[in-house]
Amino acid sequence: MDSQTSSSASPHVLIFPVPMLGHINPMLKLAQLLCLAKLNVTFLNTAYNHRRLLQYTDVEARLARFPGFRFEIIPDGLPDDHPRSGERANEVYRSLELTATPILKEILIRLRDDLNSPVTCFIADGMFGYAYDVGEEVGIPVIAFRTISSCCFWIYFNMPNLIDAEQIPFQDDDLDELVNNIPGMEAFLRYRDLPSFCRVKDVNDSHFRRVTNATRRTQRANSLILNTFEELEGPIVNLIRAHCSSNIYSIGPLHTQLNYRLGRTESDKITLNNSLWEVDRSCIKWLDDKPKKSVVYVSFGSITTISKEQLMEIWAGLVQSNKFFLWVMRPNSITGDNPTQAVDPEILEGTEKRGYMVGWTPQEEVLAHQAIGGFLTHSGWNSTLESIEAGVPMVCWPYFADQQVNSRYVSHVWKIGLDMKDKCHRDIVENMVNDMMENMKDGLLSSVTEFSQAVKRSVAEGGTSSCNLDRLIDDIRAMARK
C-alpha cells in the first residue's frame, strides 16, 4: 500500500485549541503524537497566531514529515493590534465564539463528507462549550481536552456547589478561611486558592459563567483528555472520573511523552518550540558559565501582565537575594509608560553583576540546564509540569485562572515549592528566593526529584500515561471503524 493510500485509510482528527500559547502548545504536541501513530490530523489555528507560529518556529517543517497533517486557519474576530493578554485575554473567548461557531460547523461538515479522509472525531479545547453543540449537530464525536490542571478542573466543575452554598461571591474578606464544598480539598484549600474567576462580586459575571458552563458541559463529551499523570493527580482524576466522565485519558506531561516517543535521550532532547515570540538562545550561553543550581529562572508566562510597581518589587527582591537570575521579560508584559525608566542604580548594578534579561526563552531547555536551581513562576500548568519534569523547585506568584490552585498544590500538597500569591514586596521575594535556593533547598529538591522520576516512569513503555495514550489512539481507531 503506498503512503497516500495508507494516509487516506487512517482515522482523521480535528483539533481546536483556545488561541493562547498555554493551550496551543500542548495541543500541538498531542497532534504530533497522533501523527506518530499514523493518524491524520487537522489543526485549527487562528490567523493571528498562525502567522506568529510560522514566524518564530519551524513547526511547518517539523510537521511536513507527516503527510496526514495540515493546518486550517480561521479568524479570531479581533484586530491585529489587540494585546490578547492580561485582563483583555478574556475578550479572545467572546470574540472567537461569535466568529468561529458558524465556520467551525462548515469545516466539520466538509471534513465529515470528505470521501478520501472523513473526520473521525473532534478534539476540542474544553473551554469551548459550544463545540459540543456543533459536534452533535453534524454527528461528529467530541473529545474534550482540558489544558489546565485536573485539580483546577475539579474546582471549576464544583463551582455550582459553591454558589448554592453561598460561598461565591465571597461573604467576607477572610481569604484564608477554608473552603468546605470541594470534595478532596477540604483540609487545605482556602478562598485565596480558588481560581481567580471566583473573586467576582456577581455570579452572573460573563467570564465566570463561561468557565462554569463550559466545564459542566464536559459531561456531554464522548471522553476527556487531561495533560497530567496519575502519580501526581490520581486522587482528583478519580473524582472527575466518578462525576464527569468515566472515559478519561491522563496522558501527560505531553512534552515529556513526545520526547520519549521521538526517542530523545536526556542528552540530545531539545525544545520542540511552539512559541509565539522570538526565542533568544543567548541565555543558554549565559547559563553555561554559571555554577550548578545557582540560577533563579524567572518567567510569568505568555499572557501575564504586571505593573511597574510589581516589576520593581520583584526586581529589587531578586537583586537583594544575591542570586544569579535569568528573567523572561516578554514584550508588552509591563503595563504603563516607560516601565523601566528611572530604575534604582543599585538594582541596575546588581542586575549587571548577576542578572540576565531576555524577551523569550526555550523554557524546557532552560529548566533542564544544570545551572538552574529554582523557578519563580506564574504557576501556569505547562510551566508547572515542565519544572516538575526537570526537578526544579518553584516559588509561585500566580496571575489568574488555574494558577492560584496550582500554587497551593505545589506548596502544600506536593511540597515542591513555595506560594507567594497575593504578595509582591521585595523583602518577601528575597526571603522566598533564599528559602528555595538555600534554607529549604534539600526538602524541596527531594520532593520534586521524586515526582521527576515518576514523570519519566509514566511516559515510558508500560507507564500510566503511555498506556492511556495508547488507549486513546486505539479508541479513535475504533471510532473510525464504526
Side-chain angles (χ1 to χ4, degrees):
M1 182 181 291
D2 63 35
S3 61
Q4 184 59 44
T5 305
S6 175
S7 175
S8 298
S10 298
H12 184 177
V13 180
L14 175 67
I15 298 180
F16 186 21
V18 164
M20 298 176 187
L21 184 58
H23 298 247
I24 295 168
N25 189 27
M27 294 183 83
L28 262 177
K29 286 180 165 61
L30 174 61
Q32 191 163 346
L33 283 163
L34 297 181
C35 287
L36 284 170
K38 302 189 185 308
L39 274 61
N40 294 336
V41 175
T42 297
F43 195 92
L44 196 54
N45 207 12
T46 61
Y48 177 86
N49 283 333
H50 196 63
R51 286 195 301 272
R52 297 179 68 85
L53 198 63
L54 296 185
Q55 182 177 358
Y56 298 124
T57 78
D58 66 345
V59 67
E60 204 165 39
R62 192 193 322 150
L63 292 167
R65 62 180 281 202
F66 304 112
F69 178 87
R70 68 176 183 266
F71 282 107
E72 287 257 358
I73 310 303
I74 62 169
D76 65 11
L78 295 170
D80 281 351
D81 62 355
H82 189 284
R84 294 171 175 81
S85 62
E87 294 301 321
R88 297 193 66 187
N90 293 336
E91 296 171 18
V92 177
Y93 291 102
R94 292 195 295 269
S95 177
L96 191 65
E97 182 169 0
L98 293 173
T99 304
T101 304
I103 301 174
L104 178 60
K105 181 179 176 181
E106 292 172 5
I107 291 173
L108 275 171
I109 290 173
R110 171 164 49 82
L111 294 178
R112 181 196 66 188
D113 298 339
D114 184 344
L115 296 179
N116 293 319
S117 182
V119 69
T120 304
C121 63
F122 175 25
I123 298 180
D125 196 302
M127 276 300 297
F128 292 144
Y130 54 86
Y132 310 114
D133 299 330
V134 177
E136 289 170 5
E137 187 175 349
V138 302
I140 302 297
V142 177
I143 300 175
F145 185 131
R146 293 311 301 251
T147 58
I148 56 173
S149 60
S150 300
C151 47
C152 185
F153 175 85
W154 181 236
I155 292 175
Y156 285 172
F157 189 80
N158 281 279
M159 278 189 187
N161 299 339
L162 298 181
I163 296 171
D164 291 343
E166 298 184 346
Q167 293 187 305
I168 297 178
F170 299 164
Q171 299 302 307
D172 56 48
D173 296 326
D174 183 8
L175 297 183
D176 291 318
E177 182 182 347
L178 291 176
V179 179
N180 55 23
N181 285 85
I182 308 292
M185 302 182 184
E186 300 91 340
F188 59 86
L189 191 76
R190 307 164 300 176
Y191 279 91
R192 75 170 67 253
D193 306 317
L194 289 170
S196 62
F197 309 132
C198 294
R199 300 188 184 190
V200 294
K201 301 298 183 185
D202 181 0
V203 294
N204 292 312
D205 174 85
S206 61
H207 197 61
F208 178 83
R209 281 293 179 188
R210 185 180 298 108
V211 170
T212 303
N213 293 340
T215 303
R216 278 287 174 163
R217 294 174 83 181
T218 306
Q219 293 173 304
R220 294 169 56 187
N222 173 279
S223 48
L224 174 63
I225 297 171
L226 297 170
N227 185 18
T228 191
F229 59 108
E230 298 285 341
E231 293 82 350
L232 184 71
E233 293 192 284
I236 295 299
V237 173
N238 286 333
L239 287 170
I240 297 170
R241 188 174 284 118
H243 290 83
C244 181
S245 173
S246 59
N247 198 15
I248 290 178
Y249 310 95
S250 50
I251 61 174
L254 279 162
H255 71 284
T256 319
Q257 182 91 261
L258 181 54
N259 271 318
Y260 183 85
R261 297 215 172 191
L262 286 170
R264 295 170 185 248
T265 64
E266 287 296 320
S267 60
D268 70 6
K269 73 177 182 182
I270 59 172
T271 300
L272 295 165
N273 179 24
N274 296 322
S275 176
L276 302 180
W277 289 272
E278 183 175 8
V279 168
D280 185 344
R281 293 193 56 82
S282 67
C283 61
I284 301 299
K285 186 177 185 304
W286 184 83
L287 287 172
D288 288 342
D289 295 332
K290 300 298 175 288
K292 188 175 181 180
K293 295 193 181 302
S294 65
V295 178
V296 180
Y297 175 54
V298 185
S299 176
F300 299 128
S302 59
I303 62 175
T304 301
T305 56
I306 65 176
S307 67
K308 180 177 179 179
E309 291 73 23
Q310 291 170 322
L311 168 72
M312 291 306 166
E313 291 300 313
I314 293 169
W315 199 348
L318 287 166
V319 170
Q320 289 174 192
S321 75
N322 289 316
K323 301 293 182 294
F324 293 114
F325 62 92
L326 168 61
W327 191 344
V328 177
M329 197 83 67
R330 196 186 75 247
N332 302 317
S333 60
I334 313 300
T335 60
D337 298 327
N338 300 317
T340 58
Q341 188 178 26
V343 178
D344 188 323
E346 291 185 7
I347 293 178
L348 292 177
E349 181 182 354
T351 302
E352 186 175 347
K353 290 179 179 177
R354 294 181 296 278
Y356 197 72
M357 293 182 172
V358 294
W360 200 250
T361 65
Q363 181 164 287
E364 292 171 43
E365 190 176 355
V366 166
L367 286 168
H369 197 287
Q370 65 174 3
I372 298 296
F375 186 9
L376 175 50
T377 172
H378 66 308
S379 293
W381 189 234
N382 293 318
S383 291
T384 301
L385 288 175
E386 288 163 10
S387 198
I388 290 172
E389 192 231 3
V392 174
M394 289 162 267
V395 168
C396 304
W397 191 60
Y399 177 63
F400 85 147
D402 64 327
Q403 297 161 17
Q404 279 78 13
V405 186
N406 300 342
S407 64
R408 186 61 168 174
Y409 265 78
V410 163
S411 62
H412 279 72
V413 179
W414 304 323
K415 301 186 185 306
I416 55 178
L418 307 172
D419 191 356
M420 198 173 72
K421 71 162 59 76
D422 298 328
K423 301 180 181 73
C424 191
H425 187 279
R426 60 190 64 194
D427 294 342
I428 294 174
V429 174
E430 175 190 1
N431 291 337
M432 286 211 168
V433 164
N434 283 329
D435 282 344
M436 174 177 65
M437 300 291 284
E438 294 177 1
N439 306 326
M440 301 175 66
K441 174 183 175 181
D442 291 344
L444 295 175
L445 265 178
S446 176
S447 296
V448 78
T449 299
E450 286 186 24
F451 281 117
S452 177
Q453 293 168 349
V455 165
K456 295 172 178 63
R457 291 193 299 269
S458 74
V459 302
E461 187 173 353
T464 54
S465 292
S466 179
C467 290
N468 284 333
L469 177 58
D470 289 340
R471 183 167 58 88
L472 170 64
I473 292 166
D474 289 343
D475 288 350
I476 292 174
R477 287 181 175 139
M479 290 181 192
R481 288 194 292 272
K482 291 180 182 179

